[in-house]
């Protein structure tokens, strides 16, 4: 019971630090399984690898969401183009 509480606390901590309110089921399962295995003696390297894979998948979800958000923002307006090429350089 204490191990389950520690596992859920660890996953909650990772979610808060990553800034992700909800994550997919596969990354969540990998993070919880990895945390549980890290708490088991003799399975720490396997748990670390599984948790790292889950963290990588969460990172990819964050990057994908950021890219989608950046794509939805409108482009900044460009200044109007001048018909005269010398107007920008001054009088000659």
């Amino acid at each position: 019971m204490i191990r389950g509480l520690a596992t859920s606390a660890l996953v909650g901590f990772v979610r808060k630090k990553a800034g992700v309110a909800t994550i997919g089921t596969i990354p969540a399962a990998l993070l919880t399984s990895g945390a549980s295995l890290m708490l088991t003696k003799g399975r720490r390297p396997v748990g670390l690898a599984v948790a790292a894979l889950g963290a990588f998948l969460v990172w990819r979800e964050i990057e994908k969401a950021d890219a989608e958000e950046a794509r939805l923002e409108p482009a900044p307006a460009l200044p109007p183009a001048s018909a005269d090429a010398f107007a920008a350089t001054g009088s000659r």
Side-chain angles (χ1 to χ4, degrees):
M1 187 164 121
I2 293 174
R3 183 172 287 154
L5 178 63
T7 302
S8 64
L10 180 64
V11 171
F13 175 75
V14 169
R15 282 185 187 175
K16 284 183 183 178
K17 284 296 181 183
V20 178
T22 58
I23 59 175
T25 56
I26 293 174
L30 289 172
L31 284 173
T32 55
S33 298
S36 177
L37 287 171
M38 281 192 287
L39 297 175
T40 304
K41 188 175 181 179
R43 298 286 185 196
R44 288 187 178 110
V46 174
L48 183 61
V50 170
L53 180 61
F56 173 73
L57 291 176
V58 169
W59 175 73
R60 275 193 15 186
E61 286 182 6
I62 292 170
E63 290 295 316
K64 192 181 295 184
D66 287 347
E68 187 174 304
E69 184 178 302
R71 189 170 31 115
L72 294 178
E73 291 179 7
L78 296 175
S82 174
D84 186 13
F86 296 109
T89 60
S91 62
R92 292 196 176 209

